[in-house]
Amino acid sequence: MTTIKLPEFSNTSADRIPDIVSRVRKTFHSQKTRPAEFRLKQLRKLYWTIVDHEKELMEACQRDLGKGFFEALATEINWVQNDIIFMTKNLEKWMKDEKPADIPLSNWFMSPRIRKDPLGVILVIGAFNFPIQLTLGPVIGAISAGNTVVLKPSENCPNCAAVMQRIVEEALDPDCFVCVQGGIPETSALLEQKWDKIFFTGSARTAKIVAQAAAKSLTPYALELGGKNPAIVTKKADMRLAARRLLWAKTLNAGQVCISQNFILVDKDVASSLIEELKTAIKEFFPNGAKNSEDYSRIVNIQAFNRIKKMLDNTSGRIVAGGTMDAENLFIEPTVIEVTDPKDSLLVEESFGPLIPVMPVDNLDQAISIANEVHETPLGVYAFGSKEETDKVLAGTRSGGASVNDGFFHGTIPTLAFGGVGDSGTGAYRGKASFDCFTHQRSITTTPSWMESMLAMRYPPFAGTDKLKQYNKMALLKPDFDRQGNKKVSLLWWLLTLGTGSASKGAFRVAVLVGAFVALRMLMGGRVLRNSNGEWLIIQVKS
Ligand code: NAD
C-alpha cells in the first residue's frame, strides 16, 4: 500500500479563464519574460521542482496509467529534466541575432539580421498518453522562447495533471505561467480566448475543433496528432530482430504511443516466421505474463479499453498470440492478429493499444501500396529489410518521421525535431525545434543615413530618368538556364570543373588524372623528379 499523498485534481472554473489569460497577456507586454536571465531562472527552478516532486510524479504515472518505474523515469520525468538542461545550455546561443545567408552585396550595409522574438501568449493542450512529457515539453520550449504560457494537461490522467499544477505553481512566476485544469468545457473556454500560438497534442478529431477555433482569430498552431503508422518487413530482414524491436514499440505504455506501428505488412514467405518470433519475444519480455509484469502499463480508462476491445471484436483476422483482457483492471495482453484484408478494422483505425496486426503481402510494392492507401501521411514509417528495400520504402511513402530497422527509434531522440506531416500534424518541436516553434524570426535591417544619395533611385519621379537602369544594374539577376529548362554552363566553368558542376570535384578529378598519369609513366619506366625548391613535378621518360 503506497503512502505517497497526491494533490487533488479539480477543474478550473471556466469563469476564471478570461482573467487568467488577460493577466498573462499583460505580463507578456510588460517585457518581463524577454531577458535571457528570466527565462533561464524559470527553467532552472522548474528543473529542481521536478526533482523535488519526482516520487509524486512516479506515483501519479502509476495510478493514471500503471506505468512502471523505468518508463515513468525514462519517458516522462528524466525526459523533461534532460530537456530543461539542454535548453539552458543552448538558450543564449539560440537567442542571438542570426546573420542571414545569401544577402546580395548591395544590401550588406543595411545589416540584415534575424532577431529571435517571442510569439507572445501560448496555449499548450496536452494528451494523456505521456501526460508529463507531452505537456511540460512544449511548455519548456515556450518559456525558452520568452513567452507567457497557459497549459492544460489531459484530464484523463488526473493525478499527473494535479502534480504538474503543483510543480508549476511552486516553480514558476504565477503572472506568466498558469496551469488550467479541465476537460472539454474548460478547453472550449480556453479556445475562445485570443492566443499567439496554440500547441495541441491529441487526436485528429479534437485537432479539427482546435484549428477551427484558431481560424476565427487567425491564430497560428502546432498540431501533434496520431497516425496509422505502417511497419514493413521484407524477406531479407532479420526476423528475430524485427519482432523484438516491433514488440518493444507496441508494448511500451501498452501501445498507447502515437508513433508506434499500427500494423505490420510482411512478405508472405516469412510471415509465419515473424509471428513465431513475436511469440518468442513476448515470452522473453514478460516471462511471467504481461499481466504480472510491473513493467507493463494499463489502458487509460474504460472508454479506451472498450474502443480497443471493439476493434478486436470487429476484426476478420485470427488471433495468433495473446487476446486476454480484463476490463476491471484495464488490462489488455499484447495480442498478435493475422489479418488478410487491408480494409480490416485493425488497419484502418488507430488502435492506440497493444494490438499487433500482421498482414502477409506478396511483395514490397504491394506493401507500399497498402501503406499509402491506409494513410497517405502517417506520423511514422518503419522499414525492415536490405538497404535497397528500406530506401524504396522511404522513397515510396511520406510520414512525419521514420525509423529504419527499428520501431520508433527516431522518436526517442529527445533533441531531434519531432512532428507530423499532412493530417498527422503541423509543426515540430524538441531540441532547438522547441525554441524555434515558439519564436518569431523577425527580419530586420538598419539603413544608414549616409546611404541616402545611393538610395535616391527608388524615389519618384521615374519617367524620363535612368533610375530603372541603375536599379537593374544592382538588382536584376541573369538566368543561368535556357528556355528548355536546362542549366547553361560556360566553357570556362566546364573546363574548371571538368563537367562536374563543382570546382572541388573538378580539382579532385584533375588530381586523380595527374596521379594516374604519373603512375602510368613510372610503370612504363619513367621517373618523377622535383626541382631544387621541391615545387614542381617533372616527368622524365627513359627512351
Ligand atoms: P484527445 O484529442 O482526446 O485529447 C487531447 C486534449 O484535447 C485533452 O487535453 C482534452 O482535454 C482536449 N479535448 C478533447 N476533446 C475536446 C473537445 N471536444 N474540445 C476541446 N478540447 C478537447 O486525445 P487523447 O485521447 O488525449 O490522445 C490520444 C490521441 O493523441 C491519439 O490519436 C494519438 O495518436 C495522439 N497523440 C499524438 C501525439 C504526437 O505527439 N503526435 C502524442 C500523443 C498522442
PDB file of all heavy atoms in Angstrom, residues 120-134:
ATOM      1  N   GLY A 120       4.454  35.478 -27.943  1.00  0.00           N
ATOM      2  CA  GLY A 120       3.515  36.186 -27.068  1.00  0.00           C
ATOM      3  C   GLY A 120       2.916  35.262 -26.021  1.00  0.00           C
ATOM      4  O   GLY A 120       3.631  34.740 -25.163  1.00  0.00           O
ATOM      5  N   VAL A 121       1.606  35.017 -26.131  1.00  0.00           N
ATOM      6  CA  VAL A 121       0.899  34.220 -25.116  1.00  0.00           C
ATOM      7  C   VAL A 121       0.524  32.874 -25.742  1.00  0.00           C
ATOM      8  O   VAL A 121      -0.152  32.830 -26.765  1.00  0.00           O
ATOM      9  CB  VAL A 121      -0.368  34.959 -24.637  1.00  0.00           C
ATOM     10  CG1 VAL A 121      -1.023  34.201 -23.502  1.00  0.00           C
ATOM     11  CG2 VAL A 121      -0.016  36.377 -24.211  1.00  0.00           C
ATOM     12  N   ILE A 122       0.978  31.814 -25.115  1.00  0.00           N
ATOM     13  CA  ILE A 122       0.864  30.471 -25.713  1.00  0.00           C
ATOM     14  C   ILE A 122      -0.119  29.607 -24.913  1.00  0.00           C
ATOM     15  O   ILE A 122      -0.103  29.621 -23.682  1.00  0.00           O
ATOM     16  CB  ILE A 122       2.254  29.764 -25.697  1.00  0.00           C
ATOM     17  CG1 ILE A 122       3.349  30.654 -26.308  1.00  0.00           C
ATOM     18  CG2 ILE A 122       2.181  28.390 -26.348  1.00  0.00           C
ATOM     19  CD1 ILE A 122       3.201  30.951 -27.776  1.00  0.00           C
ATOM     20  N   LEU A 123      -0.922  28.850 -25.647  1.00  0.00           N
ATOM     21  CA  LEU A 123      -1.777  27.839 -25.000  1.00  0.00           C
ATOM     22  C   LEU A 123      -1.219  26.461 -25.355  1.00  0.00           C
ATOM     23  O   LEU A 123      -1.046  26.145 -26.541  1.00  0.00           O
ATOM     24  CB  LEU A 123      -3.220  27.961 -25.516  1.00  0.00           C
ATOM     25  CG  LEU A 123      -4.178  26.839 -25.089  1.00  0.00           C
ATOM     26  CD1 LEU A 123      -4.354  26.782 -23.572  1.00  0.00           C
ATOM     27  CD2 LEU A 123      -5.546  26.993 -25.766  1.00  0.00           C
ATOM     28  N   VAL A 124      -0.924  25.642 -24.333  1.00  0.00           N
ATOM     29  CA  VAL A 124      -0.452  24.265 -24.554  1.00  0.00           C
ATOM     30  C   VAL A 124      -1.542  23.308 -24.058  1.00  0.00           C
ATOM     31  O   VAL A 124      -1.934  23.353 -22.897  1.00  0.00           O
ATOM     32  CB  VAL A 124       0.869  23.997 -23.789  1.00  0.00           C
ATOM     33  CG1 VAL A 124       1.252  22.522 -23.871  1.00  0.00           C
ATOM     34  CG2 VAL A 124       1.999  24.867 -24.337  1.00  0.00           C
ATOM     35  N   ILE A 125      -2.045  22.468 -24.958  1.00  0.00           N
ATOM     36  CA  ILE A 125      -3.066  21.476 -24.588  1.00  0.00           C
ATOM     37  C   ILE A 125      -2.426  20.096 -24.690  1.00  0.00           C
ATOM     38  O   ILE A 125      -1.931  19.708 -25.756  1.00  0.00           O
ATOM     39  CB  ILE A 125      -4.291  21.551 -25.541  1.00  0.00           C
ATOM     40  CG1 ILE A 125      -4.884  22.973 -25.543  1.00  0.00           C
ATOM     41  CG2 ILE A 125      -5.348  20.532 -25.139  1.00  0.00           C
ATOM     42  CD1 ILE A 125      -5.995  23.173 -26.584  1.00  0.00           C
ATOM     43  N   GLY A 126      -2.413  19.360 -23.579  1.00  0.00           N
ATOM     44  CA  GLY A 126      -1.702  18.077 -23.542  1.00  0.00           C
ATOM     45  C   GLY A 126      -2.605  16.881 -23.801  1.00  0.00           C
ATOM     46  O   GLY A 126      -3.827  16.947 -23.671  1.00  0.00           O
ATOM     47  N   ALA A 127      -1.962  15.761 -24.171  1.00  0.00           N
ATOM     48  CA  ALA A 127      -2.670  14.488 -24.362  1.00  0.00           C
ATOM     49  C   ALA A 127      -2.387  13.588 -23.159  1.00  0.00           C
ATOM     50  O   ALA A 127      -1.524  13.896 -22.334  1.00  0.00           O
ATOM     51  CB  ALA A 127      -2.208  13.831 -25.654  1.00  0.00           C
ATOM     52  N   PHE A 128      -3.087  12.447 -23.089  1.00  0.00           N
ATOM     53  CA  PHE A 128      -2.998  11.644 -21.861  1.00  0.00           C
ATOM     54  C   PHE A 128      -1.830  10.677 -21.833  1.00  0.00           C
ATOM     55  O   PHE A 128      -1.357  10.285 -20.771  1.00  0.00           O
ATOM     56  CB  PHE A 128      -4.306  10.869 -21.655  1.00  0.00           C
ATOM     57  CG  PHE A 128      -4.396   9.612 -22.484  1.00  0.00           C
ATOM     58  CD1 PHE A 128      -3.761   8.438 -22.082  1.00  0.00           C
ATOM     59  CD2 PHE A 128      -5.102   9.596 -23.679  1.00  0.00           C
ATOM     60  CE1 PHE A 128      -3.837   7.289 -22.864  1.00  0.00           C
ATOM     61  CE2 PHE A 128      -5.174   8.451 -24.460  1.00  0.00           C
ATOM     62  CZ  PHE A 128      -4.537   7.299 -24.049  1.00  0.00           C
ATOM     63  N   ASN A 129      -1.341  10.232 -23.011  1.00  0.00           N
ATOM     64  CA  ASN A 129      -0.519   9.015 -23.005  1.00  0.00           C
ATOM     65  C   ASN A 129       0.880   9.199 -22.416  1.00  0.00           C
ATOM     66  O   ASN A 129       1.408   8.302 -21.784  1.00  0.00           O
ATOM     67  CB  ASN A 129      -0.470   8.378 -24.398  1.00  0.00           C
ATOM     68  CG  ASN A 129       0.015   9.316 -25.454  1.00  0.00           C
ATOM     69  OD1 ASN A 129      -0.225  10.519 -25.402  1.00  0.00           O
ATOM     70  ND2 ASN A 129       0.705   8.782 -26.436  1.00  0.00           N
ATOM     71  N   PHE A 130       1.471  10.383 -22.647  1.00  0.00           N
ATOM     72  CA  PHE A 130       2.689  10.744 -21.905  1.00  0.00           C
ATOM     73  C   PHE A 130       2.345  12.071 -21.240  1.00  0.00           C
ATOM     74  O   PHE A 130       2.723  13.142 -21.726  1.00  0.00           O
ATOM     75  CB  PHE A 130       3.905  10.860 -22.837  1.00  0.00           C
ATOM     76  CG  PHE A 130       4.322   9.536 -23.409  1.00  0.00           C
ATOM     77  CD1 PHE A 130       3.842   9.108 -24.633  1.00  0.00           C
ATOM     78  CD2 PHE A 130       5.165   8.696 -22.690  1.00  0.00           C
ATOM     79  CE1 PHE A 130       4.188   7.872 -25.148  1.00  0.00           C
ATOM     80  CE2 PHE A 130       5.521   7.452 -23.199  1.00  0.00           C
ATOM     81  CZ  PHE A 130       5.030   7.037 -24.435  1.00  0.00           C
ATOM     82  N   PRO A 131       1.585  11.992 -20.153  1.00  0.00           N
ATOM     83  CA  PRO A 131       0.946  13.202 -19.630  1.00  0.00           C
ATOM     84  C   PRO A 131       1.951  14.285 -19.228  1.00  0.00           C
ATOM     85  O   PRO A 131       1.646  15.481 -19.338  1.00  0.00           O
ATOM     86  CB  PRO A 131       0.162  12.701 -18.412  1.00  0.00           C
ATOM     87  CG  PRO A 131       0.725  11.360 -18.084  1.00  0.00           C
ATOM     88  CD  PRO A 131       1.272  10.802 -19.354  1.00  0.00           C
ATOM     89  N   ILE A 132       3.145  13.875 -18.797  1.00  0.00           N
ATOM     90  CA  ILE A 132       4.122  14.865 -18.322  1.00  0.00           C
ATOM     91  C   ILE A 132       4.953  15.392 -19.496  1.00  0.00           C
ATOM     92  O   ILE A 132       5.026  16.590 -19.748  1.00  0.00           O
ATOM     93  CB  ILE A 132       5.014  14.240 -17.227  1.00  0.00           C
ATOM     94  CG1 ILE A 132       4.115  13.812 -16.057  1.00  0.00           C
ATOM     95  CG2 ILE A 132       6.096  15.198 -16.761  1.00  0.00           C
ATOM     96  CD1 ILE A 132       4.728  12.807 -15.145  1.00  0.00           C
ATOM     97  N   GLN A 133       5.525  14.447 -20.228  1.00  0.00           N
ATOM     98  CA  GLN A 133       6.398  14.841 -21.347  1.00  0.00           C
ATOM     99  C   GLN A 133       5.663  15.694 -22.385  1.00  0.00           C
ATOM    100  O   GLN A 133       6.180  16.709 -22.853  1.00  0.00           O
ATOM    101  CB  GLN A 133       6.929  13.572 -22.017  1.00  0.00           C
ATOM    102  CG  GLN A 133       7.923  13.832 -23.095  1.00  0.00           C
ATOM    103  CD  GLN A 133       7.922  12.766 -24.171  1.00  0.00           C
ATOM    104  OE1 GLN A 133       7.831  13.077 -25.345  1.00  0.00           O
ATOM    105  NE2 GLN A 133       8.059  11.511 -23.793  1.00  0.00           N
ATOM    106  N   LEU A 134       4.433  15.279 -22.740  1.00  0.00           N
ATOM    107  CA  LEU A 134       3.732  15.969 -23.834  1.00  0.00           C
ATOM    108  C   LEU A 134       3.151  17.311 -23.401  1.00  0.00           C
ATOM    109  O   LEU A 134       2.746  18.107 -24.237  1.00  0.00           O
ATOM    110  CB  LEU A 134       2.611  15.084 -24.396  1.00  0.00           C
ATOM    111  CG  LEU A 134       3.051  13.759 -25.021  1.00  0.00           C
ATOM    112  CD1 LEU A 134       1.854  12.953 -25.477  1.00  0.00           C
ATOM    113  CD2 LEU A 134       4.001  14.001 -26.193  1.00  0.00           C
TER     114      LEU A 134
END
